[in-house]
């Protein structure tokens, strides 16, 4: 089983919030608490913990947990475009 440092976990939670928190890239209005709860549920599954990298795949899976656990969905018209 992979051991995730507190720092790596905190960075991942901030990363997820930047995407799914209020004003995020794909704003779902998720709170820090909801993101932490969804992430902890996600990491309780051994298969997820063993392959956790804190990457886009993990972020996307936490999004599914946010939808399932809290009924969240993307706020209409919230997709921010990244400037090149």
């Amino acid at each position: 089983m992979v051991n995730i440092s507190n720092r790596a976990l905190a960075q991942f939670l901030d990363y997820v919030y930047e995407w799914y928190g209020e004003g995020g890239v794909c704003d779902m209005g998720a709170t820090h608490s909801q993101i932490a709860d969804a992430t902890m549920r996600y990491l309780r599954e051994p298969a997820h913990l063993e392959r956790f990298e804190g990457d886009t795949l993990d972020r996307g899976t936490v999004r599914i947990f946010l939808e399932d656990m809290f009924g969240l969905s993307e706020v209409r018209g919230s997709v921010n475009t990244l400037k090149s």
Side-chain angles (χ1 to χ4, degrees), residues 8-69:
L9 183 58
Q11 289 174 333
F12 178 73
L13 295 174
D14 288 342
Y15 169 56
V16 174
Y17 186 81
E18 288 174 4
W19 276 81
Y20 306 129
E22 186 176 347
V25 176
C26 296
D27 185 350
M28 297 174 74
T31 65
H32 288 284
S33 178
Q34 289 171 324
I35 291 169
D37 289 348
T39 300
M40 292 301 104
R41 166 112 19 109
Y42 169 61
L43 292 176
R44 276 190 218 123
E45 297 180 16
H48 294 149
L49 184 57
E50 289 175 10
R51 67 135 314 274
F52 181 80
E53 305 241 351
D55 59 9
T56 304
L57 180 61
D58 292 315
R59 185 197 75 221
T61 306
V62 169
R63 177 189 176 125
I64 294 167
F65 278 77
L66 288 167
E67 292 169 345
D68 291 346
M69 292 171 65

